[in-house]
Amino acid sequence: MPDYESRRLTGASFFCDEPAAIIDADIPLERQEEVIRTWQSTVELLHRNLQRSIPKIGYRTHEKGQSLYFTAPIDALYSAIELGELALQVALDEVSSDSIAEHEKTLSKLFDEEARPDLLLLQQEALAHDVPFLWDDDFVSLGYGKASRTWGVDELPEIETLDWNAFKKIPLAIITGTNGKSTTTRLCNQILKVTGHTVGFSSTDGIWAGEKCLDHGDYSGPGGAREVLRNQDIDAAILEVARGGLLRRGLGVAQADVALITNVAEDHLGEYGVNTLKELVEAKFIVRKAVSGAGTLLLNADDPGVVSFADSLVQKIVWYSLDQNNAVIRSQIEAGNPAFFVKDGHICISENGTTTELCSIKEIPITIGGAAKHNVANALAASALCRLLGVSVDCIRDGLTSFDGNRDNPGRGNLRQIGGVSVMVDFAHN
């Protein structure tokens, strides 16, 4: 029997826009078409026999195997994994079709034990009221930050007791890419702090609420996003989203105001069916699903893979570039669309045909007078993101010039004098 591994997709993912059960398998090439076809039909048959709604069923093949998936309600994902694995065993002739009826009894019991109609009702009501809804195995919450409330999963509130006007959204952005995610996240935190916001942010280094570090470690997955957004001290959030979390579990939030992709380079290939740079670009673009409504996708016009993939998209996109003569930037300016770029040593924005200087690069400590090109790019990206969140030019400038990159205290102290030369520690490139 081929090796396989199953998991839950708890948010929009590489494969679909809904929670799903997925099996990553390595089916022999000579049986691939037959096994996948039988697996799909068996998944449908099992749902029908169990009197469950027929899900969306799909698959993706790649050079190292196959990913088989189907959608499932959030109170049925563990049972759905069991169903998917049974269907694969049938397709591989490891379980006879004659014995399916007996297995269906076990599956029926699993679905009944996992079912949470109260959880689904709360989710549906939140959607109807346009209220953010976050859930996991332990907690459920409505709203974000100061306008949120969290309950234990076994202590859900009565729907009729809820004041839906009390649960609100907050300014929210998500950041992904190969390089620059952590530094750009911290820059955005500093800029928003200047405006008076108490910012929560998650990153590969830890999670923060204002000046307080809640925990150190890699919190770039959905768990870190939930931890930040449930903190009642914050009124704005910036979430770093890494490739691993996107592929393993999907997006941690359903909606954001801005989603930024800094760049995409060959990194950690060969996991979860992503084996090429082109596939990695597509994986990073999962974040576009969080801004498919009124949000904005913010992209690096200097990255060829990003530019190429974005050509097929129809949603709202804003571009930035270190080169004022970048072809994408020129086209945006000519069309009267906002664009962010570097010109004459300044970070600039073009809006409605008018160019405004946001900040001199030499004034931004982490750029080392412009020598640290990667941090010029990070500062440009942060400026664009915060501007799209409605931050003024003055606050962007004050935030950039007061940030020196410290990873333990987001606003202080990471430039070091070595032999009379200012040096930035290497984590700023993360």
Side-chain angles (χ1 to χ4, degrees), residues 27-40:
I27 303 167
L29 184 61
E30 63 272 15
R31 295 197 62 192
Q32 181 175 294
E33 184 177 343
E34 164 217 340
V35 168
I36 292 176
R37 183 174 62 251
T38 304
W39 178 83
Q40 290 178 303

Side-chain angles (χ1 to χ4, degrees), residues 23 29 54 66 98 119 124 128 134 173 190 220 267-268 314 333 336 347:
I23 302 175
L29 184 61
I54 304 301
Q66 307 81 27
D98 294 337
L119 177 63
Q124 292 165 5
L134 295 174
Q190 182 71 4
S220 59
D267 184 41
H268 295 102
V314 295
I333 293 173
I347 290 175

Side-chain angles (χ1 to χ4, degrees), residues 46 86 95-108:
L46 289 170
L86 173 61
V95 171
S96 70
S97 56
D98 294 337
S99 66
I100 284 183
E102 193 62 32
H103 288 283
E104 286 174 350
K105 294 179 182 179
T106 301
L107 285 174
S108 180

Side-chain angles (χ1 to χ4, degrees), residues 105-117:
K105 294 179 182 179
T106 301
L107 285 174
S108 180
K109 183 179 179 181
L110 290 175
F111 278 109
D112 287 344
E113 291 174 347
E114 189 178 356
R116 288 296 304 269

Side-chain angles (χ1 to χ4, degrees), residues 241-308:
V241 180
R243 165 207 52 81
L246 287 171
L247 292 171
R248 185 173 60 254
R249 288 285 182 258
L251 276 172
V253 294
Q255 292 181 322
D257 299 299
V258 183
L260 163 65
I261 301 176
T262 60
N263 47 65
V264 185
E266 291 185 348
D267 184 41
H268 295 102
L269 297 178
E271 297 179 350
Y272 302 109
V274 174
N275 305 300
T276 67
L277 178 59
K278 183 178 179 181
E279 291 172 336
L280 184 58
V281 171
E282 184 179 356
K284 296 290 188 181
F285 267 89
I286 295 171
V287 297
R288 76 187 188 278
K289 298 183 179 184
V291 291
S292 58
T296 302
L297 187 56
L298 177 60
L299 302 178
N300 183 356
D302 296 328
D303 189 301
V306 169
V307 174
S308 177

Side-chain angles (χ1 to χ4, degrees), residues 211-232:
E211 298 298 317
K212 183 179 180 180
C213 177
L214 305 179
D215 200 2
H216 286 289
D218 187 349
Y219 280 90
S220 59
R226 290 191 296 268
E227 189 78 12
V228 167
L229 293 170
R230 287 171 174 163
N231 189 292
Q232 293 186 310

Side-chain angles (χ1 to χ4, degrees), residues 115-126:
R116 288 296 304 269
D118 55 343
L119 177 63
L120 293 185
L121 179 59
L122 186 62
Q123 180 190 38
Q124 292 165 5
E125 288 294 317

